């Protein structure tokens, strides 16, 4: 190689022109080459012949790898060649070794990064990380994913399977997803040891046998008309929000964060987008007359404000929706700390089952419940909107009959 002259070297690099096909230049008599693509992208490469086979190994792009650094990399390649070792094969071997040493924690971090954009919120991402940090990492966090077996997953899950079954299932599912991701990316091979069917199902009792279903404290439906009469006579924003929640049989978050853009006053319809729904599917809510009265009142307030809000209900700060505490405080002021807002969905469900002839699937659709029966779900195409409109009218009449 010629004596090093930085200016001469840079001039040669700058003067290396692109063509209709890839072009190679030898800069300053170096052992390696400058490669220029038809689009003008420049990178260093090393061309060698071993066992009568010519190969080209990349050394990195010019904008990131200097001539001096490329020289050092070329020397290492020459040492390997002098020992009869194929540099490309050696590089691939080291990459494979590194891949098989990838830890569960590293894979989980990459899995979360690659999926968080598609998750509902930053809170969901935080829950994913917190769950793994609390239960999985202490046992398998530093293990190479390739070495994780059923026994390791069992050690994570077993302490909480009977006492915290819902959490245990969530942990198992997340471990399974991370390991599946690792397999697809070549970091492990073989079956997934966190899979339930045929693996952990042979170790642990079924969830239904151990889980305790936690029901939200609910108001008996026979007490609802009198409760609504008291609620209607109480002042404050919490009362309006709670009444609308009851009349629409929706979840607290769906109600609190309702936006005017979701409301069609003419069609008397509330269309909640998929990203705000628990099942990640859009939900249409037919609006009864009492629900419409609340909306008309809220709209009058909003239209009269100097800066109209996008939210139907506003919290202490105008322009921001209220927290669930606003409804809990209203219940507390009414002396009903024995029930919670979400419990009114159970009140609605009990009323439909015991006091009406509406089919079960209509009631489930009104609550935006996903059907557990996969076959039944596959055949259900509509959302029973017109039947639900009738149902919500009957429900509203009962609510306001006190």
């Amino acid at each position: 190689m010629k004596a090093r002259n930085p200016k001469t070297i840079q001039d040669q690099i700058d003067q290396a022109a692109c063509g209709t096909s890839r072009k190679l230049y030898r800069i300053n008599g170096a052992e390696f080459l400058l490669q220029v693509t038809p689009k003008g992208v420049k990178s260093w490469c090393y061309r060698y012949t071993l066992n009568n086979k010519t190969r080209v190994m990349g050394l990195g792009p010019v904008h990131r790898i200097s001539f001096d650094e490329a020289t050092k990399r070329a020397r290492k390649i020459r040492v390997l060649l002098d020992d009869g070792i194929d540099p490309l094969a050696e590089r691939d071997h080291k990459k494979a070794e590194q891949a098989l040493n990838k830890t569960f924690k590293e894979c989980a971090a990459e899995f979360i990064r690659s999926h968080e954009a598609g998750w509902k919120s930053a809170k969901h991402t935080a829950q994913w990380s917190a769950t793994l940090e609390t239960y999985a990492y202490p046992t398998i966090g530093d293990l190479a994913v390739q070495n994780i077996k059923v026994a390791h997953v069992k050690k994570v899950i077993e302490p909480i399977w009977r006492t915290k079954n819902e959490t245990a299932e969530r942990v198992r599912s997340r471990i399974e997803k991370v390991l599946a991701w690792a397999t697809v990316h070549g970091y492990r091979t073989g079956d997934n040891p966190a899979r339930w069917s045929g693996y952990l199902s042979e170790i642990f009792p079924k969830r239904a046998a151990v889980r305790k279903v936690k029901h939200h404290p609910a108001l008996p439906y026979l007490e609802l008309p009198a409760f609504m009469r008291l609620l209607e006579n109480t002042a404050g924003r919490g009362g309006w929000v709670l009444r609308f929640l009851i009349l629409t049989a929706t979840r607290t978050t769906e109600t609190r964060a309702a936006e005017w853009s979701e409301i069609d006053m003419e069609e008397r319809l509330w269309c909640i987008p998929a990203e705000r729904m628990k099942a990640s599917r859009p939900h249409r809510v037919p609006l009864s007359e009492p629900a419409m009265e609340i909306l008309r009142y809220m709209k009058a307030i909003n239209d009269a404000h100097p800066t109209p809000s996008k939210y139907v209900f506003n919290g202490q700060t105008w322009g921001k929706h209220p927290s669930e505490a606003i409804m809990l405080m209203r219940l507390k002021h009414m002396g009903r700390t024995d029930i919670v807002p979400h419990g009114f969905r159970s009140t609605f469900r009990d009323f439909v089952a015991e006091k009406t002839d509406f089919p079960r699937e209509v009631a489930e659709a009104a609550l935006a419940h996903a059907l557990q029966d996969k076959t039944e779900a596959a055949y259900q195409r509509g959302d029973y909107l017109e039947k639900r409109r009738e149902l919500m009218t009957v429900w509203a009449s009962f609510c306001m009959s006190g």
Side-chain angles (χ1 to χ4, degrees), residues 313-327:
F313 303 104
N314 287 272
Q316 291 183 333
T317 302
W318 182 264
K320 293 186 177 182
H321 65 72
S323 67
E324 187 172 358
I326 196 172
M327 289 183 279

Side-chain angles (χ1 to χ4, degrees), residues 219-232 347 351 395-402:
L219 185 75
Y221 72 86
L222 291 174
E223 298 179 23
L224 184 60
F227 176 87
M228 287 291 280
R229 185 174 65 251
L230 288 174
L231 185 60
E232 194 173 11
T347 304
F351 166 78
W395 169 243
S397 297
F398 174 73
C399 289
M400 309 307 292
S401 63

Side-chain angles (χ1 to χ4, degrees), residues 181-201:
W181 179 92
T183 300
V184 170
H185 285 79
Y187 299 135
R188 65 171 280 116
T189 57
D191 293 334
N192 195 320
R195 195 174 73 191
W196 175 255
S197 180
Y199 283 78
L200 297 181
S201 63

Side-chain angles (χ1 to χ4, degrees), residues 234 236-245 293-294 297-298 313:
T234 60
R237 292 166 292 124
W240 290 101
V241 182
L242 189 54
R243 283 169 57 203
F244 192 73
L245 174 139
E293 288 177 4
I294 294 173
Y297 178 77
M298 290 298 152
F313 303 104

Side-chain angles (χ1 to χ4, degrees), residues 25-79:
Y25 296 87
R26 194 172 297 280
I27 304 299
N28 204 45
E31 188 177 4
F32 54 95
L33 300 169
L34 174 66
Q35 175 178 259
V36 185
T37 69
K39 291 186 178 181
V41 178
K42 297 178 179 180
S43 60
W44 304 113
C45 65
Y46 193 104
R47 187 164 62 178
Y48 64 93
T49 300
L50 187 68
N51 299 326
N52 296 319
K53 186 176 181 181
T54 299
R55 307 188 72 181
V56 177
M57 182 174 182
L59 302 179
V62 168
H63 72 270
R64 188 167 57 84
I65 303 300
S66 67
F67 180 83
D68 288 346
E69 177 59 29
T71 301
K72 293 177 183 178
R73 295 186 178 192
R75 285 174 185 159
K76 292 180 180 178
I77 292 174
R78 172 45 57 192
V79 170

